[in-house]
Amino acid sequence: MNANLDVVPMQEWINTDGKPLIIAGPCSAETEEQVLETANRIKAEGYAHIMRAGVWKPRTRPGSFEGMGEAALPWLVEAKKQTGLPIAVEVATPEHIELSLKYGVDVLWIGARTTVNPFNVQEIADALKGVDVPVLVKNPVNPDLALWVGAFERLQGAGIKKLGAIHRGFSNAQETKYRNSPMWQIAVEMKRLFPQLPIIGDPSHMAGKRALLMELSQRILDLNYDGMIIETHRDPDQAWSDASQQLTPEALGEMLRELDVRKASYGADFTDELTALRAKIDNIDRELLEVLAARMSVVEKLGEYKRDNNVAVLQLDRWKQVHADRAGQAKGLGLYPEFVEELFKLVHLESIRKQTEVMNTSLA
């Protein structure tokens, strides 16, 4: 993918004193009292750099709470006045942008349901021309890196340079323990393509349950993300939206204090040991490739045998057996079954491709 983004470093538009950026606040701004109490309790804990709150809430089905709209913006202005914290809201239309800027909102973010639609993103980009405001973009609902990158390109085309990516996980047809599958590899690839682009983790929307926030937040820090956006509410169980994934400001503060922030780089003392360990990994990777090549050689012979006996390439019973067997072996070896399942899906797809190629060659 050929792309380039001219991005202003995050520390030029928000000072975090070298610490990971923390954006905290309720999923939804419900009442003025709720917003102000939550904001002041967040401020008292001392961990947040920006306060967030949902003002317009895109919901899957009509009849759900869809936010208080413009009425909530003065509450956020007052929260900023009382705490000194910059405020951030989600925008999905040019009208949202106009109102947010009218009330002095400091940071805007584009939600996953908006990122998925290039027409909507372009409308937002057009509305932001000539505006100097940080804009964060959540990944699209589906795992589509090009769509995510395209949103940044549209914003860049409108002259927006204070940009950041929010990784909130992706919808998955398979059941997982998470509300949205992290699919870390997509965010890592985004960072590889655009190392200057800040990546902010959203463990709240990945988890869907507060019990999973700690493990996801630590993983985010382990991957050296630039920060996190986490939902916190004065009384999470009574929240009007996403109650199960929110923490009290105090519980969030306790969790953040327990997390380990990793070093982004290492000193000379570690170079020799890292080099030796990486050399071992390189050797093992070569062995893995040799084993894969040997496997594909056998697959090719299998394809020839199926061709000669007029047997279909895809044998579902065999695939189900392999799927169950390899996951069981993985567990016995201390590997994550989910990882091995995904790995063998790719291996199986390549096996099908190879066997199909053998079939087609015979017909040429």
Side-chain angles (χ1 to χ4, degrees), residues 220-241:
I220 285 167
L221 294 180
D222 290 347
L223 290 172
N224 195 34
Y225 281 33
D226 297 276
M228 292 188 286
I229 179 169
I230 309 180
E231 293 182 345
T232 177
H233 190 286
R234 65 171 182 173
D235 187 0
D237 289 334
Q238 302 304 315
W240 296 1
S241 58

Side-chain angles (χ1 to χ4, degrees), residues 207-220:
K209 307 180 191 71
R210 62 180 65 98
L212 300 174
L213 287 173
M214 181 73 178
E215 64 179 75
L216 286 167
S217 297
Q218 186 60 64
R219 182 68 181 274
I220 285 167

Side-chain angles (χ1 to χ4, degrees), residues 58-231:
R59 312 311 292 176
T60 301
R61 300 181 65 185
S64 302
F65 174 61
E66 296 184 330
M68 298 301 293
E70 182 180 1
L73 290 171
W75 309 340
L76 296 179
V77 173
E78 181 61 25
K80 177 181 177 180
K81 180 180 177 182
Q82 291 187 17
T83 65
L85 291 171
I87 51 178
V89 302
E90 177 180 347
V91 293
T93 69
E95 181 187 10
H96 294 170
I97 294 170
E98 181 181 356
L99 288 170
S100 297
L101 297 178
K102 172 185 173 182
Y103 285 92
V105 172
D106 300 284
V107 178
L108 307 177
W109 85 80
I110 298 174
R113 287 183 170 98
T114 304
T115 307
V116 80
N117 189 325
F119 292 112
N120 288 358
V121 175
Q122 189 61 57
E123 286 183 351
I124 289 172
D126 292 342
L128 285 167
K129 285 182 178 177
V131 175
D132 183 24
V133 62
V135 181
L136 310 177
V137 183
K138 289 197 174 187
N139 63 252
V141 174
N142 298 318
D144 189 334
L145 179 61
L147 203 55
W148 201 5
V149 172
F152 287 106
E153 291 174 327
R154 292 175 187 279
L155 291 166
Q156 188 91 106
I160 302 298
K161 294 186 177 182
K162 296 176 181 176
L163 293 167
I166 299 178
H167 175 210
R168 51 81 81 186
F170 302 86
S171 294
N172 193 335
Q174 297 179 334
E175 285 192 22
T176 69
K177 68 178 182 178
Y178 302 120
R179 176 182 177 183
N180 292 295
S181 298
M183 299 187 189
W184 303 103
Q185 72 276 13
I186 295 177
V188 170
E189 178 64 8
M190 175 68 91
K191 192 67 174 176
R192 186 191 71 80
L193 289 170
F194 309 107
Q196 75 280 23
L197 181 69
I199 303 285
I200 297 164
D202 181 354
S204 301
H205 284 89
M206 290 181 194
K209 307 180 191 71
R210 62 180 65 98
L212 300 174
L213 287 173
M214 181 73 178
E215 64 179 75
L216 286 167
S217 297
Q218 186 60 64
R219 182 68 181 274
I220 285 167
L221 294 180
D222 290 347
L223 290 172
N224 195 34
Y225 281 33
D226 297 276
M228 292 188 286
I229 179 169
I230 309 180
E231 293 182 345

Side-chain angles (χ1 to χ4, degrees), residues 14 20 27 41 67-68 94 122 140 244-245 280 332 357:
I14 184 71
C27 174
R41 285 165 62 180
M68 298 301 293
Q122 189 61 57
S244 62
Q245 67 192 37
K280 288 181 180 180
E357 186 180 80

